[in-house]
């Protein structure tokens, strides 16, 4: 009871100092913001260790988080040049992600918040990706269109207010990030798939006609057909003993996967009469996608908010940014909150 009362007393600041913690996958991250000003951002990754196994091993990730969480948080506080007593709230990813990995960050955040008598804010990882735009452009305000493209979600959203959004379209099967990972495996590229596909694509030509999307589906996406087309193309060539360029496959796949994201985001902005598109999620770090989206927005005179690449992939700055939104709305979490491995984006319509 005393903790809850103290939390209410710490609420209501216009520019609170918020500690963000992220541990949903293979990055152990911590960041400090004051209002929309980013004071520090620390990311300790176990990706090199995970690459030995061709992907993330949950048990290895959980152990890595346990070893790194204290260092990450203390480093973030030190780099921000603040005292722990200045922290007004602790925001932490509670889902979606690997259950064991989430529990490491969540448990640490609970103890840290309780020790300081400050509010705990449980953050949806996907909303964190969406909130990264607020750090990229401190003047950004709803309404605007959000293009979300990550390993688990691909969607076009109409962000109506800081806390409400409408899903205009989403993936019917694989997400864009999943498609990149599966294409990488077919091309015998190492983990993580996305950056390695992009690297190989720079050496090739996008001259293979892979399907971009099925028609008549509004703003929805589907990547299963594209994934299958890449697999069939490579396997057919190999079975017939015919040579083919892996770089051309990568470049053609990348175009097919990214062009439709740009097309539908711009079309959504036109339909909703929005002059701004904000993007978030790991796939938004793709160089080709960023260039193509920038060109299309410039052509249509649409303002584009693109977080830096390091704030598109998993990080704690975006968790702190979403924490600020929830702090301002007074949405605090009880210390009994649990980790949640799966959090659906939601159904089409208002959220």
């Amino acid at each position: 009871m005393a903790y809850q009362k103290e939390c209410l007393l710490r609420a209501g600041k216009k520019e609170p100092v918020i500690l963000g913690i992220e541990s949903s996958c293979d990055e152990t991250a911590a960041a400090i913001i004051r209002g929309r000003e980013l004071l520090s951002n620390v990311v300790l990754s176990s990706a090199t260790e995970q690459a030995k196994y061709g992907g993330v091993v949950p048990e290895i990730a959980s152990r890595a988080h346990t070893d790194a969480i204290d260092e990450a948080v203390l480093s973030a506080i030190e780099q921000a040049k603040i005292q722990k007593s200045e922290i007004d709230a602790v925001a932490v990813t509670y889902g979606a992600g690997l259950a064991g990995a989430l529990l490491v960050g969540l448990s640490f955040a609970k103890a840290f918040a309780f020790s300081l008598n400050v509010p705990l804010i449980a953050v949806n990882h996907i909303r964190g990706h969406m909130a990264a735009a607020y750090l990229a452009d401190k003047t950004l305000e709803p309404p605007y269109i959000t293009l979300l493209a990550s390993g688990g979600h691909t969607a076009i959203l109409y962000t109506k207010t800081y806390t409400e959004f409408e899903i205009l379209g989403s993936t019917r099967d694989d997400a864009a990030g999943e498609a990149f990972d599966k294409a990488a495996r077919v091309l015998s590229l190492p983990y993580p798939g996305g950056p390695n596909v992009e690297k190989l694509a720079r050496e090739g030509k996008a001259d293979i006609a892979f399907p971009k999307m099925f028609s008549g589906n509004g703003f929805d996406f589907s990547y299963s057909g594209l994934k299958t087309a890449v697999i069939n193309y490579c396997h057919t060539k190999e079975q017939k003993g015919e040579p083919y360029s892996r770089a051309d496959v990568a470049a053609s796949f990348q175009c097919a996967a990214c062009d439709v994201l740009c097309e539908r985001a711009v079309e959504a902005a036109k339909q909703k009469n929005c002059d701004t598109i904000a993007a978030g999620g790991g796939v938004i770090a793709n160089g080709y996608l960023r260039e193509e989206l920038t060109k299309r927005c410039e052509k249509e005179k649409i303002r584009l908010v693109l977080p830096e690449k390091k704030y598109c992939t998993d990080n704690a700055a975006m968790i702190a940014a979403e924490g600020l939104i929830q702090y301002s709305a007074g949405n605090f979490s009880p210390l009994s909150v649990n980790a949640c491995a799966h959090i659906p984006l939601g159904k089409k319509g208002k959220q």
Side-chain angles (χ1 to χ4, degrees), residues 71-225:
E71 177 186 349
V73 171
L74 293 179
S75 294
I77 293 172
E78 181 180 355
Q79 291 179 26
K81 297 180 180 179
I82 65 167
Q83 300 298 316
K84 286 190 292 184
S85 59
E86 296 179 63
I87 295 173
D88 296 302
V90 178
V92 60
T93 304
Y94 81 98
L98 302 174
L102 289 166
L103 283 169
V104 175
L106 185 58
S107 298
F108 187 97
K110 287 180 181 182
F112 203 87
F114 183 77
S115 70
L116 296 178
N117 277 324
V118 299
L120 175 73
I121 302 171
V123 171
N124 181 330
H125 182 82
I126 299 305
R127 283 184 178 261
H129 276 304
M130 295 166 63
Y134 292 118
L135 298 178
D137 186 340
K138 295 180 176 62
T139 67
L140 178 63
E141 294 181 358
Y144 56 86
I145 295 297
T146 295
L147 170 61
L148 172 65
S150 69
H153 293 84
T154 303
I156 301 288
L157 309 103
Y158 176 47
T159 300
K160 301 175 66 176
T161 69
Y162 288 108
T163 58
E164 296 177 305
F165 62 84
E166 177 184 352
I167 301 174
L168 302 179
S170 58
T171 182
R172 295 190 175 188
D173 38 62
D174 290 352
E178 290 177 286
F180 267 91
D181 285 340
K182 290 171 181 176
R185 292 192 192 100
V186 175
L187 295 171
S188 301
L189 295 174
Y191 173 85
N196 287 302
V197 169
E198 180 184 356
K199 182 179 179 181
L200 180 60
R202 296 193 194 105
E203 303 172 11
K205 298 178 181 179
D207 55 5
I208 303 172
F210 289 135
K212 290 191 175 182
M213 199 65 56
F214 57 84
S215 61
N217 64 322
F219 297 112
D220 279 352
F221 299 92
S222 171
Y223 282 100
S224 63

Side-chain angles (χ1 to χ4, degrees), residues 263-327:
E263 292 168 6
R264 299 197 174 182
V266 170
E267 184 58 35
K270 290 180 181 179
Q271 188 176 112
K272 284 292 187 178
N273 197 28
C274 284
D275 62 359
T276 302
I277 293 174
V283 178
I284 304 299
N286 180 275
Y288 172 82
L289 173 58
R290 296 171 75 89
E291 292 174 6
E292 189 65 21
L293 189 56
T294 299
K295 290 177 185 176
R296 292 175 187 247
C297 285
E298 287 177 350
K299 181 180 178 181
E300 300 295 337
K301 294 181 172 54
I302 296 172
R303 174 190 178 201
L304 176 62
V305 179
L306 274 180
E308 291 182 44
K309 291 185 178 182
K310 62 183 177 181
Y311 301 127
C312 293
T313 52
D314 290 352
N315 65 89
M318 68 181 195
I319 301 304
E322 176 61 17
L324 174 62
I325 292 173
Q326 300 304 325
Y327 175 95

